């Protein structure tokens, strides 16, 4: 009877221990599943955080590029406004110049520079700018140099373009060869008429090159770059009402800090802290 009781007791203990083991195994399986779920959630959160950072970085880059593009456009328009005397006229002129830049290898800034120079010499309009561009592209010369050559009407600059000019008083004779090699001689009287004759000479001698260049690979790439830049500038112009007050407020804050001495005091505190840290590092 005693043996039977002992047997029952041992079997009962074994059953309890087996139950505990099963419970422990089940708990470990549940813990493992929870761990895997947590790891998956952490990975998902990590991917989400990376995506947010990438999107945020891209957005900041977009804002920065747009702001710079819009600022550049604004400055070019301002230069045109100074010489045209009208914001409306400057806007119209800039649109024409920028459209021209997308079809040519020229940057809007150098086109604006050339347009301002030509206007200073009494030559306006896109036809004048295009003729200067034809000569600059054909001879691989800066636009501003060609515009100055037109304005000065001097012999050496014209000769470097394959054009001979002889001036006597207020009269000038221009001789050159056209694209077929035929020699042409033309005359004009008066400073303005001579300059217009030089532009006409550019058209005859170099005309058509820019239109052909716009269909080449480099011309198409130039068009694409111009359109992308215009897109960034368009976005930036819409953001300017936000940018300008923020930058103005930041400038006012910095100016106030300088004038009040607050920034100088802050600098002294930083310097003192740095000296203390250096002293502790030396002691250690």
């Amino acid at each position: 009877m005693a043996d039977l009781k002992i047997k029952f007791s041992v079997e009962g203990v074994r059953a309890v221990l087996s139950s505990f083991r099963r419970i422990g195994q089940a708990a470990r399986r549940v813990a493992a599943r929870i761990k895997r779920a947590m790891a998956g959630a952490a990975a998902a959160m990590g991917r989400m955080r990376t995506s947010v950072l990438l999107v945020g970085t891209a957005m900041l880059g977009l804002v920065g590029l747009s702001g710079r593009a819009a600022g550049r456009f604004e400055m070019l328009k301002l230069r045109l406004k100074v010489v045209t005397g009208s914001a409306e006229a400057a806007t119209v002129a800039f649109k024409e110049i920028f459209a021209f830049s997308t079809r040519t290898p020229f940057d809007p800034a150098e086109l604006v520079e050339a347009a301002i120079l030509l206007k200073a010499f009494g030559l306006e309009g896109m036809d004048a700018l295009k003729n200067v561009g034809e000569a600059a592209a054909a001879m691989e010369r800066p636009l501003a140099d060609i515009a100055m050559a037109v304005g000065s009407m001097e012999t050496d600059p014209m000769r470097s373009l394959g054009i001979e000019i002889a001036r006597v008083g207020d009269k000038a004779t221009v001789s050159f060869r056209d694209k077929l090699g035929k020699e042409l001689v033309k005359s004009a009287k008066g400073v303005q008429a001579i300059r217009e004759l030089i532009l006409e000479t550019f058209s005859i001698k170099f005309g058509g090159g820019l239109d052909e260049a716009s269909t080449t690979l480099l011309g198409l790439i130039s068009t694409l770059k111009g359109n992308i830049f215009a897109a960034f500038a368009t976005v930036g112009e819409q953001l300017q009402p936000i940018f300008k007050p923020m930058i103005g407020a930041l400038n006012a804050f910095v100016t106030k800090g300088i004038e009040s001495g607050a920034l100088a005091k802050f600098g002294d505190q930083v310097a003192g802290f740095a000296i203390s840290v250096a002293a502790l590092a030396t002691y250690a």
Side-chain angles (χ1 to χ4, degrees):
M1 192 70 177
D3 293 339
L4 182 60
K5 289 181 179 179
I6 291 171
K7 183 178 180 180
F8 284 159
S9 298
V10 171
E11 288 179 350
V13 170
R14 286 175 178 171
V16 171
L17 292 175
S18 178
S19 297
F20 281 150
R21 281 196 296 272
R22 288 196 296 273
I23 291 171
Q25 291 170 354
R28 284 192 292 274
R29 287 195 296 271
V30 171
R33 286 197 291 269
I34 293 174
K35 184 178 180 180
R36 287 195 296 272
M38 292 295 291
M45 289 296 291
R47 289 191 295 271
M48 183 181 297
R49 181 175 58 188
T50 301
S51 299
V52 170
L53 287 174
L54 288 174
V55 171
T57 301
M59 290 298 294
L60 287 174
L62 174 62
V63 169
L65 287 172
S66 299
R68 285 193 293 273
R72 189 178 181 195
F73 272 25
E74 187 177 26
M75 288 303 298
L76 292 176
K77 290 177 183 177
L78 179 60
R79 294 190 65 191
L80 288 171
K81 180 183 176 182
V82 171
V83 297
T84 61
S86 164
E88 291 76 15
T91 299
V92 171
F94 182 76
K95 286 182 178 179
E96 293 177 340
I97 289 172
F98 184 79
F100 182 58
S101 75
T102 63
R103 303 191 303 272
T104 68
F106 304 117
D107 183 86
E110 58 182 332
L111 286 168
V112 168
E113 178 72 22
I116 290 173
L117 285 171
L118 289 173
K119 183 171 177 59
F121 295 130
L123 302 167
E124 299 184 52
M126 289 306 299
D127 287 341
L129 187 59
K130 182 178 179 180
N131 288 333
V132 168
E134 296 278 14
M139 303 303 290
E140 295 185 346
R141 299 274 295 279
L143 277 168
D145 287 357
I146 304 298
M148 285 297 296
V150 175
S152 67
M153 302 172 288
E154 294 178 355
T155 301
D156 288 342
M158 288 293 104
R159 183 173 292 152
S160 70
L161 299 173
I163 300 168
E164 292 290 340
I165 181 169
R167 294 184 60 188
V168 179
D170 63 346
K171 296 180 181 179
T173 299
V174 174
S175 58
F176 61 98
R177 293 186 181 276
D178 64 12
K179 286 176 283 188
L180 299 177
K182 181 181 178 181
E183 186 171 0
L184 300 176
V185 179
K186 293 178 175 289
S187 300
K189 181 179 180 180
V191 171
Q192 200 65 15
I194 296 171
R195 287 170 176 162
E196 291 173 356
L197 175 58
I198 293 173
L199 292 178
E200 180 187 347
T201 302
F202 288 168
S203 179
I204 296 171
K205 187 174 180 65
F206 306 114
L210 285 178
D211 291 336
E212 293 180 7
S214 66
T215 62
T216 65
L217 177 60
L218 290 178
L220 294 173
I221 291 174
S222 175
T223 300
L224 178 61
K225 287 170 59 180
N227 288 333
I228 291 174
F229 191 82
F232 278 122
T234 301
V235 173
E237 286 176 346
Q238 300 304 312
L239 294 174
Q240 279 195 9
I242 301 173
F243 285 157
K244 287 185 175 181
M246 290 175 60
I247 295 172
L250 180 59
N251 284 332
F253 174 78
V254 173
T255 300
K256 183 178 180 180
I258 294 172
E259 293 176 348
S260 66
L263 288 178
K265 184 178 179 180
F266 175 72
D268 289 340
Q269 292 173 346
V270 172
F273 176 75
I275 292 170
S276 299
V277 171
L280 288 172
T282 303
Y283 178 77

